[in-house]
Amino acid sequence: MAQRHPDSADVLARHLRARATEFLRALRLHRDAATPEDSAEAARALGRAARRIGAGLYTFRPALDPSWSRTLGPELAWVSGTLSQEDACATRLTRLLEALHHLTGPAAPTPSSARRPTPSTSGVPLPADATPPDVPRPAASVSGTPAPARATGSLPAAPRRAPAATATAPAPDGRRTVAPLPEDGSGAAPGRPPLAAGAAKAAALLERQLTLARTRAHSAALQALGSARFHAVADQVAVLASEVPLAGEAGHTDLRPLADAARERLEDAVAALPLLTAGSPYNAEALVLGLSPDPSPHPQDTPWHQVRLLLRLHRYAQEVLDPAAGDDPRLRAAGEALDRHRDAAEAAAAAAQAGRTPRIAPATAYALGVLHAGQRHEVEAARYAFQRAWQQPPAGTP
């Protein structure tokens, strides 16, 4: 007997029920969490499930009850957006502090009489400063005379995840933690050389501002999770886990044209990007309007952020049709490049905002300016990486 293939309504309903079950499981784990780490991981799973449900409601709305999907979709976006702010501040601070250390460079070498020789275990003689040959050397410095503001490498960006709605800020497995500044105000983390005076004050200023923003985001997340609005969203997701409100003609609705429409929206948005310029390294396009006094987001970043959201909708739509299709290496590399683009753009905006602080020392302002320029160069590098990834042939293409 021939095997019966599931129709479109069954495929969509099964996907939404699975995501709703993940949402409810994460909510239960968050309420029963015994440690801050467990609460952090549960909150991240909660945000991931909310994003996937919202994406399914948006892309496949013609196959669902229209009034129900239009009501629940914005509420899920509110949940995921609120939960993402705290961890975004932590990631931003980590990125900026590491960039300051990268731009400052190593400490001044000690006299030869006081230097202790470092043995080489590989048989290759070490340089005079005992730095292993496979460790890159920073080329820019903010400790002495003004150095060029061009960053010479790509800093790895921590993946953004949903925050932990806990009183502390634990670091999940394998992620970078925000090292506290020492009491002497040098801005040096354990095992690192102390920062120069301007860079150290810039690090302290950034830590104060971003820690305050993180505290406010944490309070907002706690308030949201305990609100009647969130409880109403959880109740609707609980109903979704058992019964998906489909449209009357959902059984005859083909999901592939809806998924193709999501892909076409992404392709149209990518076509509007200056990919020809982004394909040339060191084009300095990302530094345009870098000294604008307008504190609003950088105007040329908005189309790239929109492409990132459309790429995520496209990947989630492919997961509904084929769970393995969402792991396309081309789409994954493009998404990672756009994540780095977002992180660098937001970090540059934070450095610019700190630079607008009244009555800061000239050395501090200079360090923040170099830091801002370095992050804008990271924006440019991420655009270049996206252009290279997008030009690759799709998976399955001969």
Side-chain angles (χ1 to χ4, degrees):
M1 181 169 47
Q3 184 178 2
R4 177 181 179 271
H5 295 281
D7 56 21
S8 299
D10 292 338
V11 171
L12 180 59
R14 184 167 58 248
H15 173 81
L16 291 177
R17 283 197 299 266
R19 303 291 82 76
T21 302
E22 292 176 359
F23 183 97
L24 298 176
R25 183 185 301 115
L27 181 59
R28 183 172 59 253
L29 291 175
H30 182 269
R31 290 173 176 172
D32 299 338
T35 63
E37 291 79 6
D38 295 340
S39 180
E41 189 58 36
R44 295 185 184 96
L46 192 65
R48 287 194 299 268
R51 285 192 297 272
R52 278 177 162 79
I53 296 173
L57 299 184
Y58 179 82
T59 302
F60 302 105
R61 182 174 296 173
L64 301 167
D65 180 79
S67 60
W68 172 81
S69 59
R70 281 195 298 265
T71 302
L72 182 57
E75 295 300 290
L76 291 170
W78 165 73
V79 171
S80 61
T82 302
L83 293 179
S84 66
Q85 294 304 311
E86 182 185 355
D87 204 46
C89 293
T91 301
R92 202 170 303 144
L93 179 59
T94 301
R95 183 184 185 92
L96 289 171
L97 292 182
E98 290 191 354
L100 275 175
H101 282 280
H102 174 78
L103 293 170
T104 300
T110 56
S112 57
S113 58
R115 186 183 304 130
R116 181 178 302 175
T118 303
S120 175
T121 58
S122 60
V124 179
L126 296 179
D129 58 355
T131 303
D134 58 342
V135 175
R137 299 167 179 269
S141 173
V142 299
S143 58
T145 58
R150 183 176 64 186
T152 58
S154 178
L155 298 178
R160 175 179 294 188
R161 301 178 180 178
T166 58
T168 59
D173 300 345
R175 296 186 64 226
R176 299 174 298 178
T177 58
V178 180
L181 294 177
E183 296 180 358
D184 59 0
S186 63
R192 286 178 172 173
L195 294 173
K201 292 182 178 179
L205 178 60
L206 289 169
E207 186 175 34
R208 285 196 302 271
Q209 292 184 352
L210 291 177
T211 300
L212 177 60
R214 183 180 184 180
T215 301
R216 291 174 176 171
H218 173 75
S219 300
L222 288 179
Q223 185 177 2
L225 290 176
S227 65
R229 182 181 179 182
F230 177 79
H231 290 164
V233 174
D235 291 340
Q236 294 186 65
V237 174
V239 174
L240 178 62
S242 58
E243 181 181 0
V244 178
L246 298 172
E249 300 297 327
H252 304 286
T253 302
D254 189 1
L255 299 182
R256 293 196 177 275
L258 301 177
D260 291 340
R263 175 181 53 79
E264 292 171 359
R265 288 192 295 268
L266 169 63
E267 292 176 348
D268 292 342
V270 172
L273 295 177
L275 290 185
L276 183 62
T277 302
S280 302
Y282 305 109
N283 57 72
E285 182 70 19
L287 295 177
V288 176
L289 301 178
L291 296 179
S292 173
D294 187 3
S296 60
H298 207 287
Q300 62 171 281
D301 293 340
T302 302
W304 295 86
H305 295 333
Q306 182 66 17
V307 168
R308 174 180 166 273
L309 296 178
L310 293 174
L311 176 60
R312 189 168 63 187
L313 288 175
H314 171 55
R315 290 184 60 189
Y316 290 167
Q318 294 300 313
E319 289 179 358
V320 175
L321 302 179
D322 181 8
D327 197 31
D328 185 350
R330 170 176 172 263
L331 297 180
R332 185 173 62 251
E336 291 173 353
L338 291 177
D339 286 343
R340 294 195 301 271
H341 178 275
R342 175 205 56 194
D343 292 341
E346 293 180 351
Q353 182 64 29
R356 298 186 184 97
T357 303
R359 298 183 298 277
I360 59 176
T364 305
Y366 173 72
L368 291 170
V370 174
L371 182 61
H372 173 268
Q375 292 304 302
R376 292 308 303 179
H377 276 293
E378 292 296 328
V379 169
E380 179 184 310
R383 294 176 183 178
Y384 177 76
F386 171 80
Q387 189 268 351
R388 297 290 299 273
W390 187 256
Q391 299 299 331
Q392 296 298 319
T397 302

